Amino acid sequence: MRLDRFFSSTGLLTRRETAVAVRRGEILQNGRPVFRPDVQVDPATDRITLRGEPVVYREFVYFFLHKPTGYVSATEDGRFPVVTDLLPEAERRRGLFPCGRLDKDTSGLMLLTDDGALCHALLSPRRGVEKVYRFVCASPLPPEAERSLLAGLTLENGEACRAAVLRADEDRLGGYVTLTEGKYHEVRRLVAALGSRVTSLTRVSFAGIPLDPALSPGECRPVTGEELAILRAAAGKETEK
Ligand code: URA
């Protein structure tokens, strides 16, 4: 791989900045200064340093974000702030994107990555990856709500939803719902189909991984190795239609 691509994929330097750093003698390959930004490097075996610091190559990067309300699940938007604005600068330059969507008015756990294959698999309806949402609603859920969701509700436009598990609060003014698919505004529309209205919605778990209580809305942190193994296992698992 070319040295400038190596650096741009780490998010540390753009290609242009790599060329400048090379000219200044700031980059060493196995202890020797590099003279061209297009020199070939092997991330597995070469020791690359930038201004004396070793550079660790990461093929892909994974972050968990506690998405706050008011942010759009996109990398760009003309009107509203986007979730990738909340990443550290170096990761933003790497080109991470949100794995799936939460509405602007929904908060909660969101994976941001540049691993397109993993993200695609996690979102595939065939994998049936579980997402748990905490919601509050404006009027009590009807007594048959649990049964209706489990049987698979049909939305106002005739769209059939997969079975969903509802754990309603005692006062039935909210609860937890587990989905294995990701239809547009699905929780809000399911609750509307039950005759109520969602007033607050948060994703509290993704693929069995809970929203980290240490993350306040707007904060993110790298996914741990253990969590990544869980995500990979979830992405590899197929479920019945
Ligand atoms: N269901 C919704 O209604 N909104 C979300 O953001 C996610 C699930």
Side-chain angles (χ1 to χ4, degrees), residues 67 73 101-107 131 133 177 179 181-190 198 201 203:
K67 178 195 176 294
S73 301
R101 285 173 183 276
L102 291 175
D103 309 336
K104 182 163 82 55
D105 297 329
T106 300
S107 58
K131 282 131 324 211
Y133 297 87
V177 65
L179 302 184
E181 58 181 354
K183 289 192 172 26
Y184 176 71
H185 283 194
E186 188 162 352
V187 175
R188 294 175 197 277
R189 290 159 78 206
L190 285 171
V198 167
L201 185 59
R203 182 154 70 191

